[in-house]
Amino acid sequence: MRKVDVISSLVIGEAAALLMLAIGRNISLPPGVEAGLGWLPLVFPIATLAVMAAGSFLGRTIGVAYQFTKFLLVGGLNFLIDLGVLNFLIFATDISSGFYANTFKAVAFLVAVISSFFWNKFWTFRSLSVENTALQFAEFFVVSAIGLGVNVGLFALFNDAVGPQAGIDERTWASVAAGGAAAIGLVWNFLGYKLLVFRKTQK
């Protein structure tokens, strides 16, 4: 495991922990969960480093596992950035529904995509050249937007068209559908970034 991977995984863990702390202060949480948030800045960086070490070990036999582990860590951070920006805007304005809340979500998504681009470009896929960065970002944004469409479209298909299966209640099925859609969307994003956006410059 490279030194940059150790540092990056620790930075991601600490940033994620601080974002979870901030988000936790803006939403209602059970008292036990809220009390445990204080440990996150200490515990979570160690957890992300352990995940990176496991990915590095698996990468010795399954080459793509190393890169995919970095992709997952970056994805987790950017999910929290999305949620964090949304919660900050809701907290700052006291608006949590309607047109402005939808605008907040769009802003949060854009901030997360920008963060995701730089983390994935320079760390996950090691596309270190700064030439054609604007074009890469445009391609990255398109792949991300398609990934969002795949995620939402598959959720609607599984949740509404297919509907609950095997006696699962509607609320639980919605979570199952969301999980399946997210997994397929995740694979799309990884392959899109690897094979389309950063295809020529990976090292």
Side-chain angles (χ1 to χ4, degrees), residues 31-45:
V33 174
E34 191 171 349
L37 289 178
W39 289 97
L40 285 175
L42 178 63
V43 174
F44 211 73

Side-chain angles (χ1 to χ4, degrees), residues 75-99:
L77 174 64
N78 289 304
F79 168 74
L80 290 169
I81 288 174
D82 188 332
L83 202 57
V85 171
L86 176 64
N87 274 273
F88 171 76
L89 293 172
I90 290 171
F91 174 78
T93 62
D94 201 29
I95 298 171
S96 59
S97 61
F99 172 78

Side-chain angles (χ1 to χ4, degrees), residues 164-186:
Q165 302 291 312
I168 299 174
D169 65 86
E170 290 185 1
R171 289 186 179 185
T172 304
W173 181 255
S175 295
V176 171
I184 295 170
L186 187 74

Side-chain angles (χ1 to χ4, degrees), residues 97-141:
S97 61
F99 172 78
Y100 288 109
N102 293 334
T103 303
F104 297 162
K105 184 63 182 79
V107 170
F109 174 76
L110 183 59
V111 172
V113 166
I114 292 170
S115 170
S116 181
F117 173 75
F118 285 103
W119 273 102
N120 279 305
K121 175 176 172 60
F122 293 110
W123 187 49
T124 304
F125 299 105
R126 293 184 54 77
S127 175
L128 305 180
S129 171
V130 294
E131 293 181 14
N132 300 318
T133 298
L135 176 60
Q136 278 186 327
F137 180 75
E139 293 173 339
F140 187 91
F141 188 86

Side-chain angles (χ1 to χ4, degrees), residues 151-162 177 181:
N151 192 322
V152 173
L154 287 174
F155 172 75
L157 175 67
F158 296 150
N159 194 51
D160 299 327
V162 175

